[in-house]
Amino acid sequence: MIGVMGNHLTETRFRRVDDYSVEGYATLQQDRSVEFTSGEITLLIPEVDEIHQMDNFTDRPTVEIHVYGNDLRGLNRCRYNLETGKITPFVTEKYDNC
């Protein structure tokens, strides 16, 4: 769950539309884009609806709080390059934005 406490946040969700046949690459299609303002929340459902991008298109910082159902440290995760389709795996070692 991600809650916006101040300013705005634009969340863009993506769907994976390829057949998973090329390891390390994915074809993503934009599903939707929604702007959230102070007091609103968004939910991510692992393995169902979690490929997303968060942007702040304003000139002010956005304050948000993230609540996870699990500790992200040690969790295998991925970054998707929208231009090349490359998937880069990573493991969160520590919280670097706190």
Side-chain angles (χ1 to χ4, degrees):
M1 177 175 65
I2 301 169
V4 178
M5 298 173 60
N7 200 14
H8 299 268
L9 187 65
T10 301
E11 177 187 50
T12 305
R13 296 281 181 107
F14 298 90
R15 265 180 291 146
R16 187 166 176 178
V17 295
D18 64 292
D19 63 3
Y20 293 72
S21 64
V22 180
E23 188 175 336
Y25 288 87
T27 302
L28 300 180
Q29 182 177 69
Q30 183 176 327
D31 184 39
R32 63 192 179 278
S33 187
V34 179
E35 183 177 315
F36 293 95
T37 61
S38 186
E40 296 183 310
I41 64 167
T42 180
L43 302 173
L44 300 171
I45 302 170
E47 298 180 25
V48 174
D49 189 30
E50 67 179 335
I51 302 174
H52 67 286
Q53 176 177 310
M54 307 299 259
D55 294 292
N56 173 0
F57 293 116
T58 73
D59 60 354
R60 296 176 292 131
T62 294
V63 179
E64 56 192 275
I65 186 167
H66 295 233
V67 178
Y68 302 108
N70 200 355
D71 189 346
L72 296 185
R73 287 178 292 177
L75 185 66
N76 293 321
R77 301 167 68 195
C78 297
R79 285 187 181 92
Y80 296 87
N81 184 311
L82 296 174
E83 293 178 14
T84 67
K86 184 176 180 183
I87 301 171
T88 303
F90 72 98
V91 176
T92 303
E93 294 181 15
K94 65 176 185 169
Y95 297 110
D96 59 3
N97 62 348
C98 298

